[in-house]
Amino acid sequence: MSVTRHFLGRREPTAATVARFLLPDSPDGSVDLGNRLVIVPTRQAGRRLREALARACADRGGALLSPRVVTPAVLLADDTARPRPAPPAVVKAVWARTLAAADLERCTGLFPHGAPARDFAWALRTGDMLQDLRRTLAEGGYSMAAVTEQHRADLEEPERWRDLAALETRYLENLHGLSFEDPVRHALDAARRPRLPEGTTGVVLAAVPDPVPLALRALDAVSAALPVDVLIAAPAAEAKRFDAWGRPVPAAWADAPLPVPDPDANILLAASPAGQAERVIAEIAAERQRFGPADVAIGVADPSVSPFLRAALEDNGLPPFDPADVPFRDHPLCQLVTAWADLLTAPTYAAFAAFLRQPPVLEYLEDRDGVDPAGLLTELDTFQNRHLPLEFEDITAHLNDAFPALSAAAALVSDQLGAPGGDGPVAALRRFLQTVYRSRTLNTGQPEDDAFTRAAAVLNSTLREWSLPEDTAPELAPRDVLALLMRRLAEQAIRPERGDEPVDLEGWLELPWNDAPFLIVTGMNEGAVPAARCADAFLPDSLRTRLGLPDNAARYARDAFLMQGLTATRRHAGRVCFITGKAGASGDPLQPSRLLLRGTDSELAARVRRLFAPAPAAPYPPPAGPGLQLDPRVPPPPPPPPHT
């Protein structure tokens, strides 16, 4: 078997050309692709491809048995492996215990001045940093020990890497004692022996411009038994500009011109993220005769622009769909859990007051005890002004019949404070949530209830990471378990579900798969496009290059290739414009993307003048007005009481 490259050209968006490659000629229009594994760069790209395949088969009047469309991460997973990979919460706990027990006096290369504060929070943060480093090294097939042994001459600070390797060894020993496999080692082993779905007869690497080297190792192993087709969204005449896996060769793209049709109209400046959103609305309005809402796609190269885009589009009757995951910490369920955990960790008056102001808690007390929410909060303020409590105990010591609603709330909190020591933090949290949500009903199809269901699923999966048999659970104090779970929840995200939104907001890597004829790309600033890592404490760019990890030159080549494709596919029947910001949301100055300066020599001076000209002043929003008309005059005295 072998690896074969196929060049798809640039006349159409990627989804259409990949679909055309996958669909063979069929007498009745029906197609069976069930035995093909198709690897795409992102989940959203996979959705676009499935839509293109279904649309093409429908046009033929036939049926489609879809291929399995996955991202490269699937190549690095093996569900049958034993022992099974440790859940993320267990990895965090083992790293924290490893660091807490380590003799840092002997790790002077990594901690030359010792740890600033060797508490559990420090151990969690440091463990996350070290595990992130191990995951990055694994992309190139390395462990910390392997880098130390194989690249000692390339390391500027070999003592640091010696200490890293020693800590890695202790962490792996501690994890092995719990009968778990390290997830990084699991990925390395899976790449050596990749397991594909049963019945797979071929693999297609579909226009993935930057697969990690470890995934390519897995594909190389697969190619010994199955054919691997590599699809490249470029003409065959440019074959020398790509390697065997379809990755742009950095040297071939370093000075490549990137033409932008009509740059005066299609390279735009904005003073701020809000100004970028205003420019998007203005361009959509200007093109309304040619392009309707379904013909428009908006790229978000810099995620910090997304909130401003969503607000502007919604205000103008164009609610967008953003496929980016929503942080779990932004959902009210996470805020409730955080308030509960803060109260159990440090039962102060401030934590108690924040807990009581959670809507589910107020609704529960109203349902169970008939407590009026407004009356409860009034009692809380009155009590605070009268007694100035600092701790929860100060509240219970001074409660009396004058505070019936507050007494009911304090009883609920007292019950919760006694729970973790009895049945563990995870069971206590589940019991608390079952208590406060006992009367809530969910209606499928209601956006708020559907979002709650997805958030609850994320919470449940996170808690299950710590629902382990006693012999496999790391020993931690209850308050440390709470801290670990809250840190894990802060990392989680909720996958949005598409509704009937007319406009898409998509990330830079997803834009080649969007077939909308009118594309507006925001956030075209240095650091976002091309992506760059400029200050890595362990892996400077020079070391990444020597280790074969993606470096800044590879990212530049990838982004130059993608930008060229975005303009080429719309040159004859569409439009693409790029918006660069002069400043971020906090007012910090931004530089325009280098890609916007890669015109021809004759265009360079004009582009420089355009990109570094003053941005149009963003219109200031009107000042907020009062919700009601106030009368500042002193009211007249009340009339005297009537004589009896």
Side-chain angles (χ1 to χ4, degrees):
M1 298 298 178
S2 61
V3 177
T4 306
R5 296 191 304 174
H6 304 270
F7 290 87
L8 306 179
R10 292 197 187 96
R11 295 191 63 84
E12 294 180 280
T14 303
T17 55
V18 171
R20 185 176 298 108
F21 174 86
L22 292 173
L23 293 174
D25 292 331
S26 175
D28 62 355
S30 298
V31 179
D32 182 358
L33 298 176
N35 57 1
R36 305 286 289 279
L37 184 71
V38 181
I39 302 172
V40 295
T42 66
R43 293 196 313 264
Q44 180 71 353
R47 185 181 74 84
R48 294 280 183 193
L49 177 58
R50 284 188 287 268
E51 288 179 352
L53 288 169
R55 189 163 50 245
C57 283
D59 292 342
R60 296 181 180 191
L64 169 68
L65 183 57
S66 178
R68 184 174 183 189
V69 182
V70 300
T71 59
V74 169
L75 297 170
L76 309 179
D78 181 2
D79 296 337
T80 66
R82 292 292 182 271
R84 66 187 181 95
V90 173
V91 171
K92 290 178 181 293
V94 173
W95 263 119
R97 289 183 58 199
T98 300
L99 290 165
D103 183 3
L104 299 189
E105 298 297 328
R106 304 184 63 179
C107 296
T108 54
L110 186 58
F111 302 104
H113 305 294
R118 292 188 64 176
D119 55 13
F120 189 73
W122 169 84
L124 277 180
R125 292 193 305 270
T126 306
D128 284 348
M129 177 183 65
L130 298 181
Q131 189 68 0
D132 285 344
L133 174 60
R134 296 186 68 240
R135 279 192 289 266
T136 301
L137 292 174
E139 292 179 2
Y142 295 101
S143 63
M144 292 176 175
V147 172
T148 305
E149 295 167 3
Q150 301 171 21
H151 292 270
R152 181 178 298 272
D154 296 326
L155 302 177
E156 295 180 0
E157 298 177 284
E159 298 82 5
R160 296 180 73 201
W161 285 91
R162 178 202 62 204
D163 293 344
L164 287 170
L167 287 173
E168 179 183 51
T169 299
R170 296 190 193 109
Y171 154 77
L172 292 172
E173 291 171 350
N174 291 338
L175 191 60
H176 181 72
L178 297 175
S179 301
F180 281 116
E181 183 184 20
D182 170 53
V184 171
R185 277 194 170 181
H186 173 82
L188 291 170
D189 291 341
R192 298 187 192 101
R193 299 180 298 274
R195 295 178 62 89
L196 302 183
E198 187 175 352
T200 300
T201 59
V203 178
V204 178
L205 185 64
V208 182
D210 61 344
V212 297
L214 190 62
L216 296 182
R217 289 192 182 192
L219 278 178
D220 190 47
V222 167
S223 69
L226 297 174
V228 176
D229 294 301
V230 177
L231 309 187
I232 303 171
E238 299 182 13
K240 293 183 179 180
R241 304 177 76 187
F242 301 89
D243 68 9
W245 298 106
R247 295 177 297 184
V249 176
W253 291 87
D255 299 317
L258 301 174
V260 176
D262 193 3
D264 288 342
N266 292 321
I267 297 179
L268 308 175
L269 272 67
S272 65
Q276 293 192 54
E278 292 296 329
R279 293 303 300 260
V280 168
I281 298 299
E283 293 304 314
I284 293 175
E287 293 281 10
R288 62 183 179 276
Q289 299 300 325
R290 281 206 302 164
F291 304 113
D295 300 322
V296 179
I298 301 172
V300 188
D302 180 357
S304 68
V305 182
S306 288
F308 300 92
L309 285 171
R310 286 197 297 269
L313 290 166
E314 289 171 357
D315 289 345
N316 286 273
L318 294 172
F321 172 66
D322 187 351
D325 290 342
V326 179
F328 178 70
R329 63 178 176 270
D330 293 342
H331 194 275
L333 179 59
C334 185
Q335 295 162 15
L336 171 65
V337 173
T338 301
W340 176 85
D342 289 345
L343 181 61
L344 266 64
T345 303
T348 63
Y349 168 79
F352 173 70
F355 176 76
L356 287 194
R357 287 184 168 86
Q358 295 297 314
V361 174
L362 294 172
E363 292 169 4
Y364 168 73
L365 290 171
E366 184 177 24
D367 178 66
R368 187 190 71 171
D369 300 314
V371 172
D372 174 55
L376 170 61
L377 297 180
T378 299
E379 286 188 17
L380 179 67
D381 291 341
T382 302
F383 187 92
Q384 195 271 339
N385 292 333
R386 184 175 301 175
H387 297 286
L388 300 178
L390 296 178
E391 307 292 333
F392 177 70
E393 293 179 353
D394 299 335
I395 299 172
T396 57
H398 294 89
L399 280 175
N400 53 47
D401 294 342
F403 301 97
L406 194 57
S407 298
L412 171 65
V413 171
S414 296
D415 178 60
Q416 294 303 313
L417 291 177
D423 52 6
V426 172
L429 176 54
R430 290 189 182 278
R431 185 168 67 87
F432 164 68
L433 293 174
Q434 290 168 356
T435 298
V436 297
Y437 285 119
R438 68 180 186 180
S439 299
R440 172 156 185 175
T441 58
L442 298 175
N443 298 313
T444 303
Q446 295 295 324
E448 182 178 351
D449 289 346
D450 289 345
F452 181 88
T453 300
R454 294 193 295 272
V458 169
L459 174 61
N460 182 55
S461 66
T462 305
L463 296 182
R464 287 173 62 87
E465 293 178 4
W466 200 255
S467 301
L468 304 168
E470 291 186 4
D471 59 338
T472 61
E475 295 182 6
L476 292 179
R479 67 181 296 141
D480 291 341
V481 174
L482 274 179
L484 184 151
L485 290 175
M486 296 313 300
R487 186 171 181 86
R488 180 75 185 110
L489 286 172
E491 299 170 347
Q492 297 283 46
I494 305 170
R495 185 177 301 179
E497 290 187 0
R498 187 180 182 87
D500 56 357
E501 298 89 352
V503 178
D504 292 318
L505 300 181
E506 295 186 318
W508 177 251
L509 296 180
E510 294 160 343
L511 292 179
W513 296 79
N514 195 310
D515 60 359
F518 184 24
L519 173 62
I520 307 172
V521 186
T522 64
M524 288 294 293
N525 289 97
E526 197 67 18
V529 177
R533 297 173 68 98
C534 299
D536 193 302
F538 297 102
L539 291 173
D541 199 60
S542 58
L543 181 57
R544 295 179 72 94
T545 303
R546 290 192 287 271
L547 295 178
L549 294 169
D551 56 12
N552 288 339
R555 294 189 190 93
Y556 177 89
R558 178 201 67 186
D559 292 342
F561 160 62
L562 294 179
M563 179 176 171
Q564 189 177 85
L566 295 180
T567 56
T569 54
R570 293 168 176 84
R571 182 177 298 276
H572 302 292
R575 179 190 172 196
V576 56
C577 67
F578 302 96
I579 302 178
T580 180
K582 301 290 284 186
S586 60
D588 51 309
L590 300 176
Q591 295 181 2
S593 170
R594 283 174 288 162
L595 300 180
L596 298 177
L597 293 168
R598 299 304 311 174
T600 61
D601 291 343
S602 60
E603 295 177 326
L604 180 59
R607 286 207 193 183
V608 169
R609 284 194 298 269
R610 181 163 189 80
L611 288 169
F612 290 92
Y620 287 97
L628 51 90
Q629 189 68 36
L630 301 178
D631 186 351
R633 295 173 297 178
V634 177
H643 295 287
T644 57

